[in-house]
């Protein structure tokens, strides 16, 4: 580390939204939102050129979780550069708080161009995505949907990468019923699909509705389970990754099952199966099998970590994040 350039920077890209969760998109039509180049304009001029040879660390883009708050941004902007000299960290200050509950495809319309602006400044090194909770689902969307991405390493912190099938306090503002057996009708409805959780609600007992292209659940589409026309492109984009690091643990209490953080999930008997036993793995639907067989996939399981502490737990950072960003 002594030979590293002792330069650390954090850039925050902002997008101001006014959202009433009761009406979701109706109060935030696209024509009322600033264009991406308004808040990313001049990005190349503001960022000093940093080469991988100088810093030995790729620029990091941090994506917060649902209802993300300032402490997440502080972790990304203050802690990472303090322990990784030379780290350039970008914390996306977009879709914060209640705004993070908007439909994820809608969020991706703005997040993907914002990330592309950052990537365009680092064509020589590529970037690392470090994404927490729901942010991991968003970043998975970026990796698979953005054909021009240059993500080298994708790190997820307890993200429902293969969906969620459990009721938590995060859902209480939205759901009419707290028994998960009956929630599929809500989350797979037009109203439910306007809320971000609906984009990764995966009911193992209603897989036909989950994978119905008319419902268009984001996780099902990213798994290439819906027969959508961009499936080959999604797989090609995913295979551009050089390293996928998935971090989770049994004491999370929010992600259900917790193994979804490592692309595992329930079967119809609610037995949790690892990703190697998932129906989309053997056929290599989105490229995970190819990546795994090339030794580019890493799973870290850490016990004793509650969901809200993954991004600020010293043990998690030291063992499971730091080796892949430095």
């Amino acid at each position: 580390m002594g030979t590293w350039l002792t330069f650390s920077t954090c850039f925050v890209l902002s997008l101001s939204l006014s959202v009433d969760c009761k009406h979701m998109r109706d109060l935030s039509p696209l024509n009322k939102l600033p264009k991406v180049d308004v808040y990313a304009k001049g990005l190349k001029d503001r960022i000093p050129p940093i080469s991988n040879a100088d810093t030995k660390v790729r620029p990091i883009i941090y994506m917060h979780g649902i209802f993300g708050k300032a402490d997440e941004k502080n972790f990304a902007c203050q802690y990472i550069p303090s322990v990784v000299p030379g780290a350039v960290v970008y914390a996306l200050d977009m879709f914060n708080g209640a705004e993070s509950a908007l439909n994820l495809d809608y969020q991706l319309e703005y997040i993907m161009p914002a990330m592309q602006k950052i990537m365009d400044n680092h064509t020589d090194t590529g970037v690392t995505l470090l994404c927490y909770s729901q942010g991991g689902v968003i970043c998975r969307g970026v990796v698979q949907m953005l054909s021009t991405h240059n993500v080298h390493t994708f790190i997820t912190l307890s993200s429902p990468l293969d969906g969620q099938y459990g009721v938590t306090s995060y859902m209480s503002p939205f759901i009419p019923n707290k028994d998960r057996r009956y929630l599929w009708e809500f989350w797979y409805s037009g109203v439910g699909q306007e809320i971000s959780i609906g984009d990764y609600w995966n009911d193992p007992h209603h897989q036909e509705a989950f994978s119905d292209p008319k419902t268009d659940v984001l996780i099902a589409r990213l798994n290439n389970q819906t027969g959508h026309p961009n499936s080959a492109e999604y797989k090609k984009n995913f295979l551009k990754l050089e390293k996928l690091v998935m971090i989770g643990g049994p004491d999370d209490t929010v992600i259900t099952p917790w193994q979804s953080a490592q692309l595992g999930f329930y079967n119809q008997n609610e037995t949790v199966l690892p990703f190697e036993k998932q129906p989309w793995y053997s056929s290599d639907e989105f490229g995970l099998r190819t990546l795994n067989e090339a030794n580019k996939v890493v799973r870290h399981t850490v016990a004793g970590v509650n969901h809200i502490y993954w991004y600020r737990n010293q043990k998690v950072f030291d063992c499971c994040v730091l080796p892949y960003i430095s």
Side-chain angles (χ1 to χ4, degrees):
M1 283 191 178
T3 61
W4 289 5
L5 181 66
T6 56
F7 173 86
S8 61
T9 308
C10 181
F11 298 94
V12 179
L13 302 185
S14 299
L15 176 61
S16 178
L17 295 164
S18 177
V19 180
D20 183 331
C21 283
K22 294 181 180 178
H23 301 288
M24 305 308 284
R25 283 195 219 178
D26 292 341
L27 295 186
S28 293
L30 289 174
N31 58 12
K32 288 187 179 180
L33 292 174
K35 293 181 179 180
V36 170
D37 59 5
V38 172
Y39 58 85
K41 185 178 179 181
L43 197 57
K44 288 184 178 180
D45 297 330
R46 298 201 306 272
I47 301 174
I50 305 295
S51 72
N52 195 42
D54 290 332
T55 67
K56 294 183 169 44
V57 58
R58 288 182 182 82
I60 300 163
I61 303 175
Y62 178 79
M63 187 69 226
H64 64 75
I66 192 169
F67 305 131
K69 297 179 181 179
D71 58 346
E72 286 190 53
K73 186 172 65 178
N74 292 339
F75 156 76
C77 291
Q78 298 175 21
Y79 181 72
I80 294 178
S82 74
V83 296
V84 185
V88 178
V89 181
Y90 302 86
L92 264 67
D93 193 17
M94 304 168 65
F95 297 98
N96 301 318
E99 296 157 3
S100 65
L102 285 164
N103 170 275
L104 293 186
D105 276 307
Y106 178 70
Q107 294 188 45
L108 281 162
E109 289 182 37
Y110 293 90
I111 290 170
M112 287 196 295
M115 287 195 181
Q116 185 68 68
K117 289 283 187 179
I118 297 169
M119 295 173 191
D120 288 346
N121 284 276
H122 300 286
T123 56
D124 57 336
T125 62
V127 301
T128 295
L129 293 185
L130 177 59
C131 312
Y132 165 58
S133 192
Q134 178 180 277
V137 178
I138 291 172
C139 289
R140 185 181 170 191
V142 171
V143 166
Q144 293 187 242
M145 297 166 66
L146 186 61
S147 299
T148 52
H149 83 74
N150 62 354
V151 179
H152 178 279
T153 301
F154 176 24
I155 306 171
T156 63
L157 293 163
S158 193
S159 299
L161 295 174
D162 198 26
Q164 170 78 6
Y165 186 57
V167 179
T168 72
S169 59
Y170 291 93
M171 298 184 188
S172 58
F174 310 111
I175 58 175
N177 188 318
K178 294 190 177 182
D179 190 326
R180 68 181 183 177
R181 294 175 299 173
Y182 306 109
L183 290 178
W184 69 277
E185 291 182 304
F186 172 71
W187 289 123
Y188 299 156
S189 70
V191 174
Q193 283 296 294
E194 290 294 315
I195 302 169
S196 64
I197 298 166
D199 291 313
Y200 47 90
W201 186 258
N202 188 352
D203 189 321
H205 307 292
H206 296 280
Q207 287 294 287
E208 185 175 346
F210 171 71
S211 60
D212 188 340
K214 294 180 180 178
T215 310
D216 196 27
V217 177
L218 177 62
I219 283 291
R221 187 177 357 119
L222 294 177
N223 286 347
N224 282 341
Q225 292 178 270
T226 63
H228 65 93
N230 298 318
S231 58
E233 191 69 20
Y234 280 20
K235 181 176 181 178
K236 178 182 176 182
N237 297 339
F238 187 80
L239 288 173
K240 292 168 69 175
L241 290 174
E242 289 299 322
K243 187 68 70 176
L244 171 63
V245 182
M246 300 179 289
I247 305 164
D251 302 303
D252 180 89
T253 74
V254 171
I255 304 303
T256 311
W258 71 263
Q259 292 91 338
S260 181
Q262 301 172 345
L263 281 167
F265 209 73
Y266 295 120
N267 63 11
Q268 290 187 341
N269 297 320
E270 296 191 21
T271 299
V272 179
L273 302 177
F275 66 64
E276 292 91 342
K277 301 294 184 181
Q278 296 302 318
W280 37 257
Y281 182 80
S282 60
S283 55
D284 203 22
E285 289 296 328
F286 62 90
L288 183 64
R289 180 174 177 176
T290 297
L291 221 62
N292 190 43
E293 291 178 349
N295 296 316
K296 295 181 178 181
V297 178
V298 179
R299 284 171 283 196
H300 284 290
T301 300
V302 184
V305 184
N306 184 273
H307 188 73
I308 63 172
Y309 294 107
W310 285 103
Y311 66 90
R312 47 182 167 162
N313 182 283
Q314 186 73 51
K315 178 181 178 181
V316 170
F317 184 82
D318 289 347
C319 78
C320 310
V321 177
L322 187 59
Y324 305 101
I325 63 174
S326 61

